[in-house]
Amino acid sequence: MQPTRPRLVASDVDGTLLDRHERVSARTRAAVHAIVAAGDVFVLATGRPPRWITPVVDQLGLAPRAVCANGAVLYDSETDRVISARTLEVTALAEIAAVVGSLLPGCGLAVERVGESAHDSATPQFVSEPGYEHAWLNPDNTETSAEDVLSAPAVKLLVRQSSMTSGAMAAAITAHVEHLADVTFSTDNGLIELSAPGVSKASGLIEVGRTLGIDAADMLAFGDMPNDVPMLTAVGHGVAMGNAHPDAIAAADEVTATNVDDGVARVVERWWS
């Protein structure tokens, strides 16, 4: 355990802050409120896009800053404003699509885009090619041609191949696209997520810290999947959930209880109660 209280706490959402029913428990909510009441900072760090932050904010009863889309988007949930976005440009998208089409034949492609707010109607935010098989319920989808999917900058490219694990997909393509994108995954059921080079939850969190005058060494972070690994290793104290992927456990300084047993709250309560 860190000898001094961290100044910023960052938590992944799915599999970490939320239980299996996608709920924030009363104990976890109280722990988050204790952080903020003490004058410290709580940040959501998630693969989710800004438009999927509102249900978490409503349950927490406060509106924190959020590192979204695996670090590509910084979002202020209190003012519903996209602060910044780092994108994969059109030329990179086309080159990556060619590589994954060759190495993962039959895969489906989709992209996440952002506008100026979480539900910016001027920007179709999740765009997929025909026949794309969603990994989870996504009512926001705009289906279009494969060419249109790649026609505008995107904060995230999603590659879907339900007959493979996400880990196997990442292993197959990472060496071939690492000069174009960072590859990660937040579920192991055949979905990998690509962001601009150097973009991760760690890079987003460090940028938030820079605006607040908080060093990574003064941060505490929680996560459960490979997309959390950069964040867990970058902060002063990284905590993996008891239900975490082996890669996250290996990267963490500590393993707490599972997301259904208030693992986040159990650690937070050491400093804030």
Side-chain angles (χ1 to χ4, degrees):
M1 186 174 71
Q2 289 178 220
T4 57
R5 191 176 79 191
R7 298 177 59 199
L8 183 152
V9 179
S11 179
D12 171 52
V13 173
D14 298 286
T16 301
L17 191 72
L18 304 185
D19 65 18
R20 65 168 63 97
H21 304 295
E22 297 193 5
R23 302 297 300 175
V24 177
S25 73
R27 182 176 178 180
T28 297
R29 182 169 53 251
V32 171
H33 277 260
I35 295 167
V36 176
D40 297 310
V41 180
F42 179 75
V43 175
L44 298 172
T46 178
R48 292 187 180 209
R51 67 182 184 279
W52 289 358
I53 295 299
T54 300
V56 184
V57 167
D58 290 346
Q59 291 188 64
L60 284 173
L62 54 83
R65 292 196 188 191
V67 174
C68 295
N70 292 330
V73 180
L74 301 186
Y75 173 63
D76 184 342
S77 66
E78 184 172 20
T79 61
D80 185 24
R81 181 172 64 94
V82 171
I83 300 167
S84 65
R86 294 181 61 185
T87 57
L88 284 162
E89 297 305 311
V90 171
T91 52
L93 288 170
E95 192 170 344
I96 295 165
V99 172
V100 299
S102 172
L103 296 176
L104 302 172
C107 67
L109 301 180
V111 293
E112 285 278 3
R113 301 170 182 162
V114 291
E116 295 182 358
S117 63
H119 298 279
D120 190 335
S121 60
T123 304
Q125 299 195 21
F126 190 94
V127 182
S128 68
E129 63 184 13
Y132 179 85
E133 183 181 353
H134 293 278
W136 45 70
L137 180 66
N138 188 354
D140 309 307
N141 180 48
T142 299
E143 187 173 296
T144 185
S145 68
E147 292 77 17
D148 283 346
V149 168
L150 306 175
S151 67
V155 294
K156 190 195 293 187
L157 173 67
L158 298 99
V159 183
R160 180 82 164 115
Q161 179 61 279
S162 59
S163 63
M164 299 177 67
T165 66
S166 305
M169 293 172 68
I173 73 157
T174 297
H176 301 275
V177 300
E178 58 189 357
H179 61 296
L180 299 167
D182 275 25
V183 181
T184 192
F185 55 96
S186 56
T187 176
D188 207 19
N189 68 342
L191 179 72
I192 55 174
E193 306 163 43
L194 291 84
S195 303
V199 169
S200 68
K201 290 187 183 183
S203 69
L205 195 56
I206 288 168
E207 181 58 30
V208 170
R210 186 177 296 118
T211 67
L212 300 172
I214 300 174
D215 292 334
D218 294 318
M219 298 179 187
L220 167 68
F222 297 87
D224 73 309
M225 287 298 289
N227 63 329
D228 296 309
V229 167
M231 173 176 71
L232 295 178
T233 57
V235 300
H237 195 70
V239 181
M241 306 304 291
N243 52 286
H245 187 282
D247 289 356
I249 289 173
D253 299 299
E254 175 186 355
V255 179
T256 185
T258 68
N259 63 316
V260 300
D261 198 24
D262 293 307
V264 170
R266 289 171 183 267
V267 175
V268 168
E269 288 164 356
R270 295 179 193 160
W271 289 282
W272 301 269
S273 58

